[in-house]
């Protein structure tokens, strides 16, 4: 946490790796399709707060925060278990979403 006069600033970031293994039956093909791929998620959060009131070892501060997440799924192929009939499906996606929040933070002194 960084202090800028009466305002406290904080930031955090993270990386998540999601391993996906999918198996689904497709009766029309008389087949089971398999796919395996890795999805990566990057996220970050910033927040600012300022001390409003303090009493009995507790401090109350209004808080404003911003959180963003980007999820990247690479192209993947589904393949059939039987060679007679097979299916191929390719898809790549990238999604970014963000949210903001206003609230209060309660800190206790040790």
């Amino acid at each position: 946490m960084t202090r800028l006069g009466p305002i406290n600033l904080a930031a955090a970031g993270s990386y998540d790796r999601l391993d996906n293994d999918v198996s689904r039956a497709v009766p029309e093909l008389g087949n089971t399709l398999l796919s395996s791929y890795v999805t990566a998620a990057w996220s970050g959060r910033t927040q600012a707060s300022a001390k409003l009131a303090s009493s009995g070892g507790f401090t109350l501060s209004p808080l404003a925060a911003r959180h963003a997440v980007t999820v990247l799924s690479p192209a993947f192929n589904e393949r059939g278990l039987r060679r007679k009939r097979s299916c191929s499906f390719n898809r790549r996606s990238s999604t970014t979403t963000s949210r903001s929040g206003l609230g209060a933070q309660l800190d206790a002194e040790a």
Side-chain angles (χ1 to χ4, degrees), residues 2-109:
T2 300
R3 186 174 286 273
L4 203 66
I7 298 176
N8 295 318
L9 301 173
S14 70
Y15 167 79
D16 297 300
R17 175 189 162 111
L18 303 138
D19 294 313
N20 302 282
D21 293 313
V22 179
S23 173
R24 63 186 180 109
V26 182
E28 292 80 13
L29 294 176
N31 207 343
T32 297
L33 300 178
L34 305 172
S35 66
S36 182
Y37 58 96
V38 173
T39 299
W42 297 89
S43 65
R45 177 183 169 92
T46 58
Q47 70 181 41
S49 62
K51 182 177 169 182
L52 179 67
S54 189
S55 177
F58 291 98
T59 302
L60 181 65
S61 306
L63 177 100
R66 179 84 171 162
H67 189 181
V69 178
T70 298
V71 178
L72 305 168
S73 291
F76 66 92
N77 290 318
E78 287 185 323
R79 61 195 179 284
L81 286 175
R82 298 181 187 154
R83 291 184 178 227
K84 291 179 184 176
R85 300 176 186 167
S86 65
C87 178
S88 181
F89 175 72
N90 292 306
R91 181 172 183 230
R92 174 182 297 235
S93 69
S94 174
T95 304
T96 300
T97 186
S98 64
R99 63 186 172 107
S100 298
L102 297 174
Q105 178 175 316
L106 183 63
D107 294 317
E109 294 177 18

